[in-house]
Amino acid sequence: MAFLWSKISATLPPNEEQFPLQFSEKVALSVVEMLKRARLQLYGETTRASRILNAQIILDYSWERLNTGTWRHVDKEWRRVYSYGCLFKAAALCRENPSEEEIRQAIRTCDMGLLMGAAIMENILQVIVCILQSEIRKLAEEDNHENIKAKVGHFFHICVCVLARSSSFMWFSQNNSF
């Protein structure tokens, strides 16, 4: 799954300095600082739990801002904050050898960003969803292939057992050396 992270990281800017985080004064400075911390963690070596926690803080705070008042009165800046939170969480989930369930959770997170947030970084959430869905399809194909192999192996084992118990095989094995 390290290959998955290489695909996702290829969609991101090459370094922290080129990762855009410009917001108007409508977004609290403390939120911008959390976003900068999450960006730093994205490019640095931080624990997975810490990356997920910071992303979740951004998501929770911006979710509250998205759900105060009517939708048309929610400032686009807060929708962008929510999308960045989704990006950071999806990246955190997929960074270190994710399970199939973690990949699915990352897809759900990106979907929420696409539904409730605003487009950021040339619609990066949509690009990541496509990468993750492709990975899920590959995992499903591998599982299907493994199931077929297991069924064929099991069928072969049954055939050998039935054949071994048959009287003609017993006679053949007693009268012929292998």
Side-chain angles (χ1 to χ4, degrees):
M1 295 280 187
F3 188 63
L4 176 61
W5 175 245
S6 67
K7 286 180 183 179
I8 291 172
S9 64
T11 66
L12 298 169
N15 56 47
E16 184 183 348
E17 292 77 31
Q18 294 178 2
F19 192 104
L21 282 178
Q22 290 90 24
F23 294 94
S24 71
E25 68 283 346
K26 292 182 180 183
V27 176
L29 188 57
S30 59
V31 175
V32 174
E33 288 303 314
M34 283 299 295
L35 288 160
K36 287 179 180 178
R37 181 180 301 161
R39 177 180 65 184
L40 177 67
Q41 291 176 333
L42 181 65
Y43 289 95
E45 294 301 319
T46 309
T47 66
R48 182 174 193 274
S50 180
R51 285 191 295 266
I52 291 173
L53 177 64
N54 282 325
Q56 194 61 51
I57 289 169
I58 294 165
L59 286 172
D60 291 345
Y61 190 81
S62 58
W63 179 260
E64 292 301 318
R65 295 301 303 244
L66 292 179
N67 289 289
T68 53
T70 60
W71 183 248
R72 68 174 178 239
H73 292 119
V74 174
D75 194 273
K76 186 176 180 181
E77 292 289 276
W78 285 106
R79 295 182 203 166
R80 289 180 57 237
V81 170
Y82 187 78
S83 292
Y84 276 107
C86 291
L87 171 62
F88 292 134
K89 184 173 180 179
L93 287 166
C94 295
R95 178 92 178 247
E96 298 168 3
N97 198 20
S99 67
E100 182 176 345
E101 179 52 37
E102 289 167 327
I103 296 171
R104 289 182 187 283
Q105 185 179 357
I107 291 171
R108 286 189 299 272
T109 299
C110 289
D111 281 346
M112 285 301 295
L114 292 167
L115 289 169
M116 300 295 291
I120 56 170
M121 299 172 61
E122 298 178 15
N123 215 6
I124 193 169
L125 292 177
Q126 182 62 47
V127 173
I128 291 174
V129 165
C130 290
I131 292 168
L132 296 174
Q133 286 175 334
S134 173
E135 188 66 26
I136 289 293
R137 278 191 293 277
K138 270 195 272 182
L139 290 172
E141 288 170 8
E142 288 173 9
D143 284 349
N144 191 29
H145 183 67
E146 290 298 316
N147 286 340
I148 289 171
K149 281 175 46 177
K151 287 178 183 177
V152 167
H154 182 70
F155 180 72
F156 179 75
H157 177 73
I158 290 171
C159 290
V160 168
C161 289
V162 168
L163 187 58
R165 290 188 178 131
S166 72
S167 59
S168 59
F169 180 76
M170 294 296 220
W171 177 83
F172 181 78
S173 62
Q174 291 169 354
N175 294 315
N176 297 296
S177 60
F178 292 105

